[in-house]
C-alpha cells in the first residue's frame, strides 16, 4: 500500500514535496527557493517558513539561499503524492470521460483526499498502469520507477526521429492543440528545421516554442 509522507503531512506539505520532486524529474538541477515560490505561486517568505518545517521534519536538506533536495523520507513522501495524482488523472480519463487537458486541476484536489484503500482499488481497476495520459511515469507503491533516456524536442537536432514519451500538462491549451493534431505519448515524430515536426504520413506541422519545450522524445 502507498504510505502517506509523514505524521506532519498536510496538503501544503504534500504540494511542496511534489513540486520539488517534479522539478528534477526530467532535468538534474535542484530547485531553488525562488523557483519553488514561483512554481507554487506563493511569497518567498512563505517558502522560507515551509522550508524550515520540511528540514526540521527530515524531508529536505538545504543550506541558506541554496537549492533544496529531498531526503529519502522526503522522496518517498513526494513519490506517494505523485503516484496518487497520476493514478487519479488516469482514472479520470479512462473511466470518467475527461479529456487529458481537464484532469490536472481535479487531481490536485483529489490527491490529498484519496484513501490508500481507494487508491489501491483504482490502480487494480486500471490494470496497474505505468504512466498517466500525459506519459508521466506512475511510481510504484515503494516509490520506484524505471525511466529510459529522453530528449526535449526543443533540444533535438533537425533530423532526430523519436517517439513521444511525455508531454508536460502545465498548459492545457498546448495539450488541446497537440490532441487536435493527434500528437500524444506514443506518436512518432521527426524534428525538422524552424521548429517544425513531420508526423506519421508525412504531414509537417510547425510547433510553437512552448509546445516544443513541453514534449520529450526517445533518444
Amino acid at each position: 500500500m502507498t504510505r502517506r509522507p509523514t505524521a506532519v503531512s498536510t496538503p501544503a506539505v504534500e504540494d511542496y514535496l511534489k513540486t520539488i520532486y517534479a522539478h528534477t524529474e526530467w532535468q538534474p538541477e535542484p530547485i531553488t527557493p525562488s523557483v519553488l515560490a514561483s512554481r507554487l505561486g506563493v511569497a518567498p517568505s512563505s517558502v522560507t517558513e515551509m522550508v524550515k518545517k520540511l528540514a526540521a521534519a527530515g524531508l529536505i536538506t538545504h543550506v541558506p539561499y541554496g537549492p533544496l533536495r529531498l531526503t529519502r523520507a522526503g522522496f518517498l513522501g513526494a513519490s506517494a503524492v505523485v503516484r496518487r495524482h497520476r493514478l487519479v488523472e488516469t482514472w479520470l480519463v479512462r473511466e470518467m470521460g475527461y479529456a487529458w487537458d481537464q484532469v490536472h486541476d481535479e487531481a490536485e484536489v483529489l490527491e490529498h483526499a484519496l484513501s490508500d484503500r481507494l487508491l489501491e482499488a483504482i490502480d487494480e481497476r486500471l490494470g496497474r498502469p505505468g504512466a498517466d495520459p500525459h506519459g508521466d511515469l506512475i511510481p510504484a507503491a515503494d516509490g520506484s520507477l524505471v525511466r529510459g533516456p529522453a530528449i526535449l524536442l526543443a533540444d533535438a537536432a533537425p533530423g532526430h526521429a523519436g517517439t513521444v514519451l511525455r508531454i508536460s500538462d502545465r498548459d492545457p491549451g498546448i495539450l488541446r492543440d497537440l490532441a487536435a493534431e493527434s500528437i500524444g505519448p506514443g506518436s512518432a515524430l521527426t524534428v525538422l528545421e524552424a521548429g517544425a515536426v513531420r508526423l506519421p504520413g508525412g504531414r509537417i506541422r510547425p510547433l510553437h516554442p512552448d509546445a516544443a519545450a513541453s514534449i520529450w522524445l526517445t533518444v
Side-chain angles (χ1 to χ4, degrees), residues 54-163:
L54 296 176
L59 299 174
I60 64 168
T61 61
H62 81 109
V63 295
Y65 309 107
L68 313 174
R69 292 178 172 85
L70 295 171
T71 63
R72 178 61 179 170
F75 172 82
L76 290 175
S79 64
V81 183
V82 169
R83 173 175 167 78
R84 294 201 301 273
H85 183 97
R86 293 176 181 173
L87 277 171
V88 167
E89 288 192 332
T90 307
W91 173 65
L92 289 173
V93 169
R94 291 194 190 177
E95 301 285 331
M96 305 302 292
Y98 279 66
W100 72 337
D101 61 287
Q102 299 173 327
V103 295
H104 179 75
D105 289 346
E106 295 279 11
E108 287 284 294
V109 175
L110 293 172
E111 70 188 26
H112 303 300
L114 211 62
S115 70
D116 290 343
R117 179 180 179 184
L118 180 54
L119 184 72
E120 173 63 20
I122 290 173
D123 191 25
E124 183 176 7
R125 166 85 176 186
L126 296 174
R128 308 203 182 279
D132 72 10
H134 313 103
D136 282 314
L137 298 180
I138 299 173
D142 64 0
S144 63
L145 51 75
V146 178
R147 180 181 295 106
I151 185 171
L152 193 63
L153 192 151
D155 296 333
H160 179 86
T163 300

Side-chain angles (χ1 to χ4, degrees), residues 197-213:
V197 294
R198 180 181 293 113
L199 307 176
R203 287 188 301 130
I204 294 177
R205 203 274 198 194
L207 287 180
H208 188 278
D210 290 345

